[in-house]
Amino acid sequence: MNCLFGQVDRNINRALELLTGVTADLYVLPELFNTGYLFNDRAEASGYAEICPGGKTFNALDEFASVRKCYLVAGFVEEDGDKIYNASFITGPDGYIATYRKIHLFNEEKLWFDAGNKPFFVVNVGSVRVGLMICFDWIFPESMRTLALLGADLVCHSANLVLPFCQNAMLTRCLENSLFAITANRTGCDDRGNNRQLAFTGMSQITGPRGEQLCRADRDSDCVQVVDINPYQARNKFLNQYNDLLADRRPDFYKLVNDPLNRN
Ligand code: ACM
């Protein structure tokens, strides 16, 4: 969707309007869908921060999930004491489930937010195991690999993508981990004046465990698409009779992956 910077009530209402038009078990909204993305500084981002559960964005979407008996993931600025995080929550028919705090901050986000301080996690949504990540987390293959190793069937990937790489790269992320992913991206542009602008690439998509593009939105329009998936397909990690994508890994040969400072 095209989120309008700073127009929180409008963005919440627009999201609810879009979601109300379709029936699904699980909905995913973009990163920072309620506030917009291009903050001027940390103080401004902080002015939009909400506690979760309990903030007004959470309450509005939680009510939708409760009435419609569905699950919902959405990005927002989370306040926790004097920390603020670029975060997404998941809520469901019985209320709040969990919050993910973006681990890999992109560009100026490092000036606005605290980096996520809690590990990746997977939650049960009915019989499906769902993991959360946010936007730039995609460029670190360790993010989705970790979610795969935690047993995720499906990754809810709220995004505000500005680079042109992610949508195609997610086909590989899903293939290499045998996972479904929902990348819910923004369209439009945040224009904060003084040549301070950022355009978003749209093309939200749902991707399957063999690298299939199950649906993709266009670049510019608000769009809701629903895809029926069989989450159990993600549990088959065999690419062929002999190759299991998780069991065939050779971590003894990747030790540097866990020790980025040791580059020798
Ligand atoms: C991004 O992480 N929002 C590019």
Side-chain angles (χ1 to χ4, degrees):
M1 61 182 278
N2 184 3
C3 314
L4 301 186
F5 188 88
Q7 299 186 32
V8 174
D9 290 339
R10 178 270 174 201
N11 293 331
I12 293 173
N13 289 335
R14 178 64 183 141
L16 288 173
E17 183 179 53
L18 288 165
L19 301 187
T20 300
V22 293
T23 300
D25 298 316
L26 167 70
Y27 298 84
V28 184
L29 289 169
E31 177 183 17
L32 300 170
F33 89 96
N34 58 341
T35 57
Y37 180 82
L38 188 57
F39 297 105
N40 283 326
D41 52 35
R42 181 179 169 99
E44 185 179 52
S46 191
Y48 290 103
E50 300 184 21
I51 55 165
C52 189
K56 83 168 171 185
T57 301
F58 173 80
N59 287 343
L61 298 184
D62 182 58
E63 190 187 335
F64 179 88
S66 160
V67 170
R68 299 279 290 248
K69 304 217 178 324
C70 62
Y71 294 85
L72 200 151
V73 173
F76 70 112
V77 185
E78 187 201 7
E79 171 186 339
D80 183 16
D82 61 355
K83 307 276 191 208
I84 57 169
Y85 300 98
N86 182 346
S88 59
F89 62 74
I90 178 164
T91 190
D94 300 322
Y96 175 76
I97 298 172
T99 303
Y100 167 70
R101 295 171 170 169
K102 188 175 185 179
I103 288 175
H104 303 100
L105 298 178
F106 176 70
N107 204 349
E108 282 184 39
E109 288 176 35
K110 292 195 177 191
L111 308 178
W112 311 329
F113 300 119
D114 296 285
N117 60 347
K118 295 193 176 160
F120 287 107
F121 59 84
V122 166
V123 293
N124 291 319
V125 163
S127 56
V128 187
R129 298 192 289 240
V130 173
L132 272 54
M133 69 178 196
I134 298 179
C135 206
F136 195 54
D137 284 327
W138 76 267
I139 210 166
F140 300 92
E142 294 87 348
S143 305
M144 270 185 66
R145 181 66 96 200
T146 300
L147 291 171
L149 291 167
L150 287 168
D153 302 315
L154 166 66
V155 173
C156 296
H157 181 213
S158 299
N160 271 201
L161 294 159
V162 295
L163 301 176
F165 310 116
C166 174
Q167 288 88 343
N168 288 337
M170 285 300 285
L171 305 181
T172 303
R173 290 285 169 278
C174 286
L175 172 65
E176 68 200 2
N177 291 296
S178 187
L179 281 181
F180 291 93
I182 303 169
T183 298
N185 193 23
R186 255 198 75 174
T187 63
C189 174
D190 282 347
D191 184 349
R192 305 301 317 282
N194 297 321
N195 276 334
R196 205 170 148 66
Q197 303 179 335
L198 209 50
F200 302 93
T201 59
M203 300 192 294
S204 296
Q205 69 183 20
I206 301 177
T207 317
R210 292 296 173 263
E212 315 95 310
Q213 191 188 98
L214 300 173
C215 71
R216 184 180 273 186
D218 69 28
R219 224 188 139 87
D220 300 314
S221 3
D222 286 355
C223 168
V224 189
Q225 295 194 20
V226 184
V227 169
D228 278 322
I229 64 164
N230 175 359
Y232 297 104
Q233 283 175 356
R235 296 191 191 172
N236 175 15
K237 302 300 184 190
F238 279 97
L239 201 56
N240 57 47
Q241 190 181 352
Y242 298 105
N243 290 119
D244 179 309
L245 292 169
L246 295 186
D248 280 4
R249 291 173 313 118
R250 306 285 307 278
D252 281 356
F253 292 93
Y254 324 139
K255 284 183 179 150
L256 280 179
V257 169
N258 289 326
D259 188 7
L261 297 180
N262 176 4
R263 292 175 191 265
N264 293 315

